[in-house]
Amino acid sequence: DYKLRRGGKLDRLVLRESIFCDYSVGDGNARTNLNKELTSLKYALATELDRPSIILNTPHRHEASYTRFSPGASLRYHVDEHHEELKGRYGWQQKSRRSISWLIYLNKDWDQEKYGGELRCFERRAQTLGSVGATKCGDLQVGWLLASSSDPYDRPVFLDSTKYTDHGNCQLYQIINNRPHIISQPFFASPVMFILGGDTLLRDIYITDADAKQRYRPLEQVQTPLNEYINRLSSQLSFQHNTERTTKPRDIAPTAGTLVLFDSVSLPHEVLETRCRPRFACSGWFHEDQQPHVFSSSYS
């Protein structure tokens, strides 16, 4: 069980698997039926998305929970999964990773205008080219090359952490014609490189491709107080790394029976403030195999 307090007040309660899987609590039959539907969904996603390891059911592989948002509760901008190299001492500890995020909303007679609580997803404004989130060998996406006058597409940027050179074990690349195109010199990864402001460090020091230097932006622009200030300054000075220039928000009301699915790596999202009444959901993540922490030359 997980409780989140803000300003000394409980505003979000998450009941994880220990309660979710205890069929003696609440309506166990309903959760049994839900698990059957989720299993069918996993098989469909594994086939349609070509992610076969989603269907595996080893212990601690998938996640499920109930979530209650009290009035006034919200959830800040984030993505649900990150490259293992960006997790510091917590990286490379698990055999699987979050692949698909899912939510099922449980709120009957939800008035969106009155109660708020929308899930806001930040989709790309420009058309994207190629697969997003991860390559087939398991390298996760960490950024974008923004569309330009010479290229109308936003292109995903992936992190390969298998180089093991004296200058670093990581390189950034994009996929062109089903093959990797390296855009940086080797470096040692630090989480600060992949948040708002860190893109300047990557562009100026490590990215060697001239076109990529101008177009690269991090996938997740973490909203620290400093970054919120930078966002306000960017808006005033018309800097291109303002998220409003590159994404378009889609708001989804938490109405009972609504199912939401999205890639856990590539889609930033937030939950807007809940008003007047509590907001309930079932939520979780389908996992897929984590890439081995060994050298690999296969990118596609």
Side-chain angles (χ1 to χ4, degrees), residues 35-266:
N35 283 332
K36 290 179 181 178
E37 294 296 330
L38 290 174
T39 298
S40 297
L41 180 60
K42 277 194 300 185
Y43 274 84
L45 291 171
T47 300
E48 293 297 323
L49 300 178
D50 194 20
R51 302 185 188 187
S53 64
I54 287 179
I55 65 175
L56 300 179
N57 283 310
T58 53
H60 310 297
R61 185 175 180 88
H62 302 291
E63 301 173 70
S65 63
Y66 282 119
T67 304
R68 178 190 187 274
F69 279 65
S70 299
S74 61
L75 190 59
R76 303 181 77 177
Y77 179 103
H78 66 287
V79 296
D80 286 345
E81 184 59 286
H82 302 84
H83 196 290
E84 295 299 302
E85 285 292 316
L86 306 183
K87 297 180 180 180
R89 61 191 177 93
Y90 298 105
W92 302 109
Q93 294 186 5
Q94 305 299 323
K95 294 182 179 180
S96 65
R97 69 165 183 86
R98 291 173 175 177
S99 178
I100 299 295
S101 304
W102 61 267
L103 303 105
I104 301 173
Y105 291 119
L106 308 173
N107 309 288
K108 294 182 179 179
D109 303 318
W110 190 268
D111 185 331
Q112 183 175 350
E113 293 295 324
K114 182 177 181 180
Y115 302 132
E118 299 92 337
L119 173 70
R120 175 166 289 178
C121 299
F122 292 87
E123 300 176 337
R124 306 305 297 177
R125 286 192 180 276
Q127 185 176 354
T128 61
L129 189 66
S131 297
V132 301
T135 62
K136 288 192 177 299
C137 77
D139 290 337
L140 265 60
Q141 184 181 354
V142 296
W144 292 97
L145 299 184
L146 302 185
S148 66
S149 57
S150 59
D151 182 1
Y153 300 104
D154 279 358
R155 297 178 181 265
V157 175
F158 303 95
L159 176 64
D160 175 8
S161 62
T162 63
K163 293 304 179 185
Y164 298 106
T165 71
D166 291 339
H167 302 288
N169 65 314
C170 296
Q171 277 189 300
L172 300 178
Y173 66 94
Q174 61 170 314
I175 299 295
I176 299 179
N177 297 325
N178 295 320
R179 297 188 61 83
H181 175 72
I182 303 297
I183 65 171
S184 79
Q185 60 181 310
F187 61 89
F188 292 105
S190 169
V192 73
M193 293 180 177
F194 298 90
I195 64 175
L196 181 60
D199 54 328
T200 301
L201 176 67
L202 274 173
R203 286 200 304 268
D204 292 348
I205 299 179
Y206 295 113
I207 293 180
T208 54
D209 183 282
D211 179 61
K213 274 183 178 289
Q214 301 298 319
R215 298 171 58 188
Y216 176 80
R217 297 295 184 273
L219 177 63
E220 180 183 19
Q221 299 191 349
V222 178
Q223 299 303 296
T224 65
L226 174 60
N227 290 341
E228 289 175 351
Y229 170 77
I230 293 174
N231 268 336
R232 291 195 297 271
L233 184 64
S234 300
S235 178
Q236 294 170 7
L237 300 180
S238 300
F239 288 167
Q240 290 187 358
H241 62 239
N242 191 328
T243 56
E244 292 183 358
R245 297 178 177 275
T246 59
T247 63
K248 54 184 178 182
R250 173 182 289 190
D251 290 349
I252 302 170
T255 306
T258 301
L259 169 68
V260 182
L261 299 164
F262 56 88
D263 183 82
S264 300
V265 175
S266 62

